[in-house]
């Protein structure tokens, strides 16, 4: 095993606001795995809307605008009182990054040394740090440091071993989008049915297309026409332009499941098609 350095490169979030709040540094102290934790050498870390939203302070109850508006305004003046997933003020500097794929290089007390060299994906919405209590939220890269760094610490039991031919960037994009999509499909009990998926070209939408096809569903995807090709490649049987009138495109009672990751004015038309 290679010698682990004492410092690393990382992107630090220094406060709520615009991109100027992100600082790249090469002298960040190496994190140390505590009991039940592992140290991961990060090979890929996905970037998601939640990283932007956390930086902006968008999760505060005081924010009533959409992400794009908040971003245009350079973030919200939330004073950090509740601008996190948990509603607890973030502490800065914070290393963001909720999607992580990498290799375990060291372990903390209580973790088998056999885990060293495991290739792992880290669970984003963690249960370990809240002692598996229901209805409490501990989000990787928000309530604790995440993967926008060369190394990251995570609970061993939420760092899942991976044996896959997929590339590091592909594996580094799985945790947030695919677990969100899987949760929706699982709750809906999706099988070999007629499924409509909105926002199908986005991270969660595209994951839902792929996961629904794995269940044998006939998938109608809604997205911009210029993004239709990758959505079809992902498995969609039909694509409807997001600017089209859904009432004209979907007959009443013509679908079994609506996987809606967009919301807004199209909800009633989706309900009518169910």
């Amino acid at each position: 095993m290679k010698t682990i350095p004492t410092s690393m490169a990382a992107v630090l979030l220094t406060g709520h606001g615009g991109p100027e709040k992100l600082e790249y540094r090469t002298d960040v102290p190496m994190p140390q795995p505590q009991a039940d934790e592992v140290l991961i050498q990060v090979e890929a870390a996905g970037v998601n809307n939640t990283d932007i939203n956390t930086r902006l302070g968008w999760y505060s109850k005081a924010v009533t605008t959409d992400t794009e508006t908040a971003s245009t305004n350079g973030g919200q003046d939330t004073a950090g009182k509740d601008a996190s997933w948990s509603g607890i003020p973030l502490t800065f500097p914070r290393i963001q990054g909720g999607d992580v794929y990498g290799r375990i290089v060291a372990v903390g007390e209580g973790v088998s040394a056999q885990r060293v060299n495991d290739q792992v994906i880290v669970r984003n919405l963690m249960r370990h740090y809240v002692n598996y209590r229901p209805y409490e939220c501990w989000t990787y890269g928000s309530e604790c440091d995440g993967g926008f760094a060369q190394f990251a610490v995570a609970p061993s039991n939420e760092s899942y071993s991976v044996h896959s031919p997929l590339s590091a960037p592909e594996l580094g994009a799985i945790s947030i989008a695919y677990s969100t999509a899987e949760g929706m499909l699982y709750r809906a009990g999706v099988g070999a049915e007629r499924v409509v998926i909105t926002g199908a070209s986005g991270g969660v939408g595209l994951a839902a297309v792929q996961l629904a096809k794995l269940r044998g569903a006939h998938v109608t995807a809604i997205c911009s026409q210029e993004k239709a090709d990758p959505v079809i490649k992902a498995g969609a049987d039909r694509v409807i332009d997001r600017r089209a009138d859904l009432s004209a495109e979907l007959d009443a009672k013509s679908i079994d499941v609506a996987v809606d990751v967009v919301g807004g004015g199209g909800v009633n038309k989706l309900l009518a098609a169910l």
Side-chain angles (χ1 to χ4, degrees):
M1 185 176 68
K2 294 181 179 179
T3 301
I4 298 172
T6 58
S7 61
M8 65 177 182
V11 176
L12 303 181
L13 178 65
T14 59
H16 293 299
E20 74 282 354
K21 295 293 187 179
L22 297 171
E23 180 182 348
Y24 174 76
R25 294 180 55 176
T26 59
D27 61 348
V28 178
M30 178 64 59
Q32 301 298 317
Q34 303 302 307
D36 302 322
E37 293 181 333
V38 295
L39 178 66
I40 300 166
Q41 185 170 5
V42 177
E43 295 187 23
V47 180
N48 292 270
N49 278 348
T50 185
D51 300 303
I52 299 170
N53 293 341
T54 297
R55 168 172 55 78
L56 293 172
W58 186 79
Y59 292 115
S60 170
K61 295 180 178 65
V63 178
T64 57
T65 60
D66 57 69
T67 302
E68 185 174 354
T69 302
S71 180
T72 301
N73 293 337
Q76 300 290 328
D77 182 17
T78 61
K81 294 178 181 178
D82 64 346
S84 69
W85 278 73
S86 63
I88 299 171
L90 259 64
T91 56
F92 299 105
R94 169 66 71 229
I95 299 174
Q96 294 188 273
D99 270 337
V100 172
Y101 167 73
R103 179 175 62 90
I104 294 176
V105 294
V107 299
E109 182 182 353
V111 180
S112 170
Q114 292 183 345
R115 293 228 65 189
V116 173
N117 289 321
D118 266 6
Q119 304 291 124
V120 295
I121 289 176
V122 178
R123 182 178 184 173
N124 172 247
L125 295 177
M126 293 184 162
R127 310 298 302 132
H128 176 84
Y129 293 125
V130 292
N131 198 28
Y132 290 82
R133 293 186 295 273
Y135 315 121
E136 291 189 41
C137 189
W138 190 278
T139 305
Y140 204 52
S142 174
E143 276 62 48
C144 64
D145 286 341
F148 291 169
Q150 289 178 297
F151 295 85
V153 162
S156 176
N157 61 359
E158 297 187 288
S159 300
Y160 299 106
S161 297
V162 176
H163 306 280
S164 171
L166 295 176
S167 68
E170 289 170 323
L171 291 167
I174 283 179
S175 180
I176 293 176
Y178 283 80
S179 64
T180 303
E182 175 64 19
M184 297 173 75
L185 298 179
Y186 179 82
R187 285 189 172 200
V190 173
E193 303 171 275
R194 300 162 297 175
V195 178
V196 170
I197 299 171
T198 66
S201 62
V204 175
L206 200 64
V209 170
Q210 294 171 293
L211 293 170
K213 287 303 295 183
L214 285 173
R215 287 166 160 80
H218 180 280
V219 175
T220 297
I222 301 175
C223 65
S224 299
Q225 200 61 44
E226 56 268 25
K227 298 179 180 178
D229 287 346
V231 175
I232 292 172
K233 185 178 179 180
D237 298 284
R238 177 191 177 195
V239 172
I240 297 174
D241 190 286
R242 69 181 182 86
R243 293 172 286 264
D245 180 3
L246 289 183
S247 297
E249 298 288 344
L250 299 173
D251 294 334
K253 301 182 181 180
S254 64
I255 63 174
D256 301 303
V257 181
V259 179
D260 185 17
V261 302
V262 175
V267 171
N268 286 339
K269 293 179 180 180
L270 289 172
L271 291 174
L274 285 171

